[in-house]
Amino acid sequence: MFPSKASNFFTFLVTIFSVTRCHADLLNIMPPNFQQAMGLAHEIWHNPQVMEETGQQMIQSFQDATAKLQEDHVGIQTVFSAFNSETLSTIKTAIRGTSSRHNISAQCENDTLIFVEGLALRQTWALRMFDATGKPPSGIMNGDIHWLGKYHQCINVTAEVNVTQIHVDNRTHLEYPFTGQHCNLIYSLAASGGNSSTPAMGNMFGLLQSLVVGMCVPSSCSALDIETVFNATLAEIAYQMNKTGNKTATGVIVQCIEQYTDWDGGAIAVMCVTSLLLLLVVIATAYDVITKQLQLMKIKMMESPHAKMYTSDNGLLQGHRVDEHTPLISDGQHTQETVNVKVRQEHGMAAKILLSFSLYTNGAKILNTTQTAGTLQCIHGVRFLSLSWVILGHTYVFAISIIGNFGDFGALIKRWTFQAIVNATFSVDSFFVMSGLLVTYLTLREMKKNEGKLNWPMYYFHRYWRLTPPYMLLIMVYVPTFKYWASGPLWPAEPDPFCKDNWWTNLLYINNVVNPDKMCVAWSWYLANDMQFFIISPLIIIPLYRSGILGTVVLLVVMLGSFIATGVISTVNDIGTSLAAQAGANGANGFDLIYIKPWCRIGPYLAGMLFGYLLYKTECKQKLHWSLVLVGWAVAAISALAVLYGLYDQFQGYPLSNGVAAFYNTVSRTVWGLALGWVIYACCTGSGGFVNTILSWEGFVPLSRLSYCAYLVHPIIMMLFYLSTETVLFFSDLMVVYLFLANLVAAYGAAFLVSLVFEAPMLGMEKAIFRRGK
């Protein structure tokens, strides 16, 4: 009897190994002269006739090898003899016995027996199904516990059965009763065990502690059918091995990968809405080119000092003369302003709203590198580099469950250079710093301009309108249609199963405090925090405007409250320092208790507000003594490095005490925020040196504008790649660099399209309706 989880796992492995004994012998069906085949590769590639002849030869060779395999190959014959006499009998007994005791469909039972018989008769289609099933590889002890098999080979198999028609002259014909279906057998290796801990396909993190074996089974079987049959088979084998105890199930669950071909109503509705939006974009772009841009060209020609224009009484251009003195490109600043004025004068509200969807205008705005006076130029570089850091961290995190060499991470995290990856979560705090700084700096300038007055309803509306339309439109497209984008052994039936019931928490930006364990679009916790900080920001900005001392006191009181809350929560629940280690005592989850909670994450935002106030008071013109600048840079650099690399010893086997870990969790993010705040302050006040030169590079400006949409789409791009892969990944430094660069480029490429169609039009509509920027 095998009562323990370890014994069940042993039984599971014994079964898998016993069933796959013949797999090595199957390799003998390959053509023997492999080197000669490789030598023909170049000729085959460039000669279609040779390619066709070689293909026919390979097919014939495969058929001959299969015949030899069936007739006179002693080794494989012995294996199949053992399979016939032992395993086949056991499997048939389990299938029939399970079918009689449980509610298994008759069709599934019949097709499964056909598959087993096909294996016994060594029929090609059955061998292909068996070959498509995952096998134990090398490297199991190094973390390669996801044996996914060959998904597409499996689903492309069609069973072939000879059926004799007794009443029609005993004629025999082929029937095709079923096709291959890929199902994953999942066995949780977590200490708690049980089916409840086993994740669904598409859960990037829950599969980490689960043994996953891809099985190719008849398409007539449901996941419950396969699960019941397989558990009964394991129990039968365990009983036969031990001959004592009951034939109990072993806790393996099955999840089958559905193939989505017909779009459901929700996906069709989304495509209709998206198509209408794209049609509107096309119409707006055409209208923009015909009216505004042609008018701009006319004005340019009319204002050229070297071109003689001839106009009719109605002002229309009748002709012009261009000589060698006519500039190819004129100064368009005055011309652009003139045509913009004319457009505002000549077009009504409806035309202005339509023009806000123009690809021509929106693309020019996004790619424009011109910065207006008073812009904090270094912010663009900080924003792009921070998001790049986010994407780098997520390149590891989103792939962690499908890495075949996870055991190597033990040595990887001990490298001091890897601390910047382990602590990549501070990249999000960089965004909190920038958000708090910009909100404070810009709002105080606006209040000063209006003698302390501000349209507070518009203050909130603009922020909500700035973030929400692209956010909600992306969820609308992503959630109903993602399952149709690709397929694979890990492809999820629902990418975000909680969105159906909890999307409204995203709409209200409360998804980090309401049902956080069932969050729709999990990476949106940052947006909820940022909006919540923005909502309460006037409680600090107004006192800062009235009195710097009063406002600073309010800010420090809020910061102290955040420190106390974080420290108490971390100490009581014994929360670790890094996100990977934030599993506290009694099952406490540091991600839910600290990482996504606004009362624990507001520290960097407050640090940004403090430096935003300093920039407002100094008008970015204060020149500090060189000694103070040197001290400021030294303190900022030491503090930032201490935060990032101070946990190095912890990964060398010297864990921190609960009190020290709580202290780090309490102050580390605020310290990072203060260090980054100094960098921005120094750059904006002329004390940034070469750092400011790098961060203020004009090439960062378009990338900075796209950062919000890139943050929204980059996890979707990663899931699309990782979940559609047919094999596990083996990470190395070069592999990660390659994936990171691919993710970065793909994220910004997709962000450009999303911004053109979703984000920029919404901002243009707001400006047209409320006359913002007039």
Side-chain angles (χ1 to χ4, degrees):
M1 185 169 135
F2 294 82
S4 67
K5 191 173 189 66
S7 298
N8 286 338
F9 177 57
F10 172 74
T11 303
F12 189 29
L13 284 180
V14 167
T15 305
I16 296 297
F17 274 109
S18 65
V19 172
T20 57
R21 285 181 298 174
C22 61
H23 185 255
D25 296 274
L26 291 176
L27 296 178
N28 291 316
I29 64 177
M30 299 301 295
N33 200 341
F34 184 71
Q35 293 183 352
Q36 182 181 359
M38 292 297 293
L40 291 174
H42 182 78
E43 183 180 1
I44 291 173
W45 180 257
H46 292 88
N47 193 326
Q49 183 177 358
V50 175
M51 180 181 294
E52 182 179 358
E53 294 175 355
T54 304
Q56 294 175 351
Q57 293 174 5
M58 291 180 66
I59 293 174
Q60 184 61 46
S61 177
F62 181 85
Q63 293 174 345
D64 294 343
T66 302
K68 181 180 180 181
L69 184 74
Q70 294 176 352
E71 294 176 2
D72 57 15
H73 193 290
V74 178
I76 196 68
Q77 195 75 16
T78 303
V79 170
F80 274 114
S81 297
F83 186 80
N84 284 333
S85 60
E86 298 176 9
T87 311
L88 178 60
S89 176
T90 301
I91 292 177
K92 285 185 174 181
T93 300
I95 292 173
R96 294 193 176 100
T98 303
S99 179
S100 63
R101 295 191 302 268
H102 303 278
N103 187 23
I104 296 178
S105 67
Q107 188 64 48
C108 175
E109 176 189 358
N110 182 65
D111 291 346
T112 304
L113 291 172
I114 291 175
F115 170 49
V116 174
E117 291 285 356
L119 280 177
L121 296 175
R122 300 178 293 288
Q123 294 177 342
T124 301
W125 66 266
L127 293 176
R128 287 181 60 82
M129 285 185 64
F130 175 75
D131 184 52
T133 295
K135 317 295 191 303
S138 302
I140 294 176
M141 298 184 67
N142 201 34
D144 193 358
I145 57 174
H146 297 154
W147 314 333
L148 304 180
K150 297 299 179 183
Y151 171 81
H152 287 95
Q153 176 178 324
C154 173
I155 64 175
N156 289 326
V157 172
T158 301
E160 299 178 358
V161 180
N162 289 316
V163 178
T164 302
Q165 295 178 317
I166 299 176
H167 302 291
V168 188
D169 299 330
N170 291 329
R171 292 181 180 177
T172 301
H173 69 282
L174 283 176
E175 288 189 358
Y176 309 97
F178 59 88
T179 59
Q181 175 186 212
H182 184 95
C183 295
N184 290 308
L185 278 65
I186 306 174
Y187 186 83
S188 176
L189 303 179
S192 59
N195 294 355
S196 60
S197 64
T198 304
M201 291 298 103
N203 186 325
M204 301 300 296
F205 312 105
L207 289 177
L208 184 60
Q209 292 183 296
S210 298
L211 175 64
V212 180
V213 181
M215 299 287 289
C216 191
V217 299
S219 56
S220 58
C221 297
S222 66
L224 182 59
D225 290 337
I226 300 300
E227 180 179 321
T228 305
V229 169
F230 198 84
N231 275 302
T233 303
L234 289 182
E236 177 71 26
I237 292 175
Y239 176 78
Q240 295 295 332
M241 291 171 64
N242 202 30
K243 298 298 184 181
T244 60
N246 298 321
K247 301 178 183 180
T248 56
T250 55
V252 175
I253 73 166
V254 175
Q255 293 173 356
C256 294
I257 308 301
E258 296 185 36
Q259 300 177 52
Y260 298 99
T261 54
D262 298 328
W263 287 45
D264 58 25
I268 294 174
V270 167
M271 292 305 299
C272 291
V273 172
T274 305
S275 299
L276 291 175
L277 183 60
L278 293 176
L279 178 61
L280 181 61
V281 168
V282 172
I283 294 174
T285 304
Y287 180 76
D288 185 19
V289 172
I290 293 173
T291 58
K292 181 178 175 180
Q293 303 306 327
L294 291 181
Q295 188 176 17
L296 175 60
M297 293 173 61
K298 181 182 74 174
I299 294 175
K300 282 184 177 181
M301 289 186 292
M302 292 178 64
E303 291 186 351
S304 174
H306 301 287
K308 296 183 178 180
M309 305 294 179
Y310 304 93
T311 58
S312 62
D313 294 338
N314 61 6
L316 296 176
L317 186 65
Q318 298 295 321
H320 67 280
R321 186 180 69 194
V322 181
D323 56 24
E324 66 274 11
H325 300 291
T326 303
L328 294 177
I329 302 177
S330 62
D331 182 9
Q333 182 176 1
H334 175 69
T335 303
Q336 184 66 54
E337 293 176 356
T338 302
V339 73
N340 286 338
V341 171
K342 288 180 176 293
V343 168
R344 287 196 294 267
Q345 292 174 345
E346 296 177 4
H347 295 292
M349 178 70 69
K352 294 176 184 177
I353 294 176
L354 178 62
L355 285 173
S356 66
F357 288 86
S358 169
L359 291 178
Y360 191 98
T361 298
N362 291 335
K365 289 179 180 178
I366 294 173
L367 299 177
N368 183 24
T369 60
T370 303
Q371 301 182 68
T372 59
T375 300
L376 307 180
Q377 298 181 7
C378 65
I379 288 289
H380 298 295
V382 175
R383 185 178 288 126
F384 169 73
L385 295 177
S386 296
L387 186 62
S388 299
W389 195 8
V390 171
I391 294 175
L392 176 59
H394 283 171
T395 297
Y396 279 96
V397 172
F398 277 76
I400 200 168
S401 284
I402 58 170
I403 295 176
N405 58 331
F406 186 76
D408 293 338
F409 273 71
L412 188 63
I413 62 176
K414 291 184 178 181
R415 289 164 29 181
W416 70 270
T417 53
F418 199 72
Q419 301 308 300
I421 306 298
V422 174
N423 293 307
T425 57
F426 287 99
S427 58
V428 181
D429 296 292
S430 299
F431 283 98
F432 287 142
V433 173
M434 288 184 284
S435 183
L437 186 147
L438 290 173
V439 165
T440 304
Y441 175 70
L442 296 176
T443 304
L444 288 173
R445 289 184 61 187
E446 190 71 17
M447 292 177 69
K448 181 180 180 180
K449 179 181 177 181
N450 296 294
E451 299 179 349
K453 298 178 181 179
L454 195 68
N455 187 344
W456 292 108
M458 184 57 66
Y459 171 84
Y460 288 112
F461 175 80
H462 173 67
R463 184 69 172 184
Y464 188 84
W465 188 258
R466 163 74 176 84
L467 298 179
T468 308
Y471 179 25
M472 290 296 109
L473 286 170
L474 187 70
I475 292 178
M476 179 196 72
V477 173
Y478 156 64
V479 175
T481 66
F482 184 78
K483 62 184 178 182
Y484 301 104
W485 295 5
S487 61
L490 297 176
W491 195 249
E494 291 183 90
D496 261 298
F498 301 126
C499 285
K500 182 178 181 181
D501 298 322
N502 292 294
W503 62 270
W504 60 273
T505 61
N506 297 68
L507 184 64
L508 299 178
Y509 294 93
I510 57 174
N511 48 308
N512 60 329
V513 292
V514 177
N515 300 328
D517 57 329
K518 299 179 180 179
M519 191 183 303
C520 171
V521 186
W523 58 97
S524 64
W525 68 267
Y526 159 75
L527 301 179
N529 277 272
D530 189 70
M531 180 63 77
Q532 291 157 8
F533 299 155
F534 181 85
I535 290 172
I536 67 171
S537 62
L539 301 179
I540 300 174
I541 293 176
I542 294 175
L544 281 173
Y545 180 80
R546 301 299 180 188
S547 169
I549 297 177
L550 176 60
T552 302
V553 170
V554 174
L555 186 149
L556 293 177
V557 168
V558 177
M559 184 179 292
L560 178 61
S562 175
F563 284 173
I564 294 173
T566 306
V568 170
I569 294 172
S570 181
T571 302
V572 171
N573 295 282
D574 194 13
I575 303 297
T577 51
S578 65
L579 182 61
Q582 285 187 343
N586 302 319
N589 188 341
F591 182 83
D592 290 337
L593 293 177
I594 292 180
Y595 190 75
I596 65 174
K597 290 300 185 283
W599 45 85
C600 297
R601 297 304 299 264
I602 198 173
Y605 193 91
L606 296 174
M609 294 186 74
L610 180 62
F611 280 100
Y613 174 72
L614 292 176
L615 289 174
Y616 160 73
K617 291 296 291 185
T618 61
E619 297 182 347
C620 300
K621 297 178 181 179
Q622 184 176 11
K623 291 292 184 179
L624 299 176
H625 190 269
W626 67 268
S627 61
L628 293 177
V629 173
L630 183 61
V631 171
W633 277 105
V635 172
I638 293 172
S639 300
L641 291 174
V643 166
L644 287 183
Y645 296 95
L647 299 178
Y648 176 72
D649 285 344
Q650 178 180 251
F651 295 99
Q652 309 307 312
Y654 303 97
L656 302 179
S657 65
N658 185 27
V660 175
F663 176 77
Y664 181 87
N665 289 335
T666 300
V667 304
S668 59
R669 300 190 181 279
T670 303
V671 170
W672 174 264
L674 292 170
L676 181 60
W678 163 261
V679 172
I680 298 174
Y681 177 81
C683 291
C684 293
T685 55
S687 301
F690 73 93
V691 175
N692 181 52
T693 301
I694 296 174
L695 295 179
S696 299
W697 177 51
E698 63 180 12
F700 285 138
V701 177
L703 298 173
S704 175
R705 293 194 183 104
L706 295 172
S707 292
Y708 173 58
C709 289
Y711 179 81
L712 290 177
V713 303
H714 83 271
I716 301 175
I717 292 173
M718 291 184 185
M719 288 190 293
L720 177 62
F721 172 73
Y722 290 142
L723 295 179
S724 62
T725 183
E726 194 161 312
T727 59
V728 295
L729 303 177
F730 290 86
F731 267 21
S732 64
D733 291 339
L734 290 178
M735 179 69 165
V736 171
V737 169
Y738 187 86
L739 288 176
F740 161 66
L741 293 177
N743 289 332
L744 183 68
V745 173
Y748 272 94
F752 182 65
L753 298 178
V754 172
S755 182
L756 280 177
V757 179
F758 290 167
E759 182 184 32
M762 300 300 114
L763 297 179
M765 286 178 60
E766 182 197 12
K767 187 176 292 186
I769 295 173
F770 295 100
R771 300 175 181 269
R772 291 180 61 89
K774 181 179 178 180

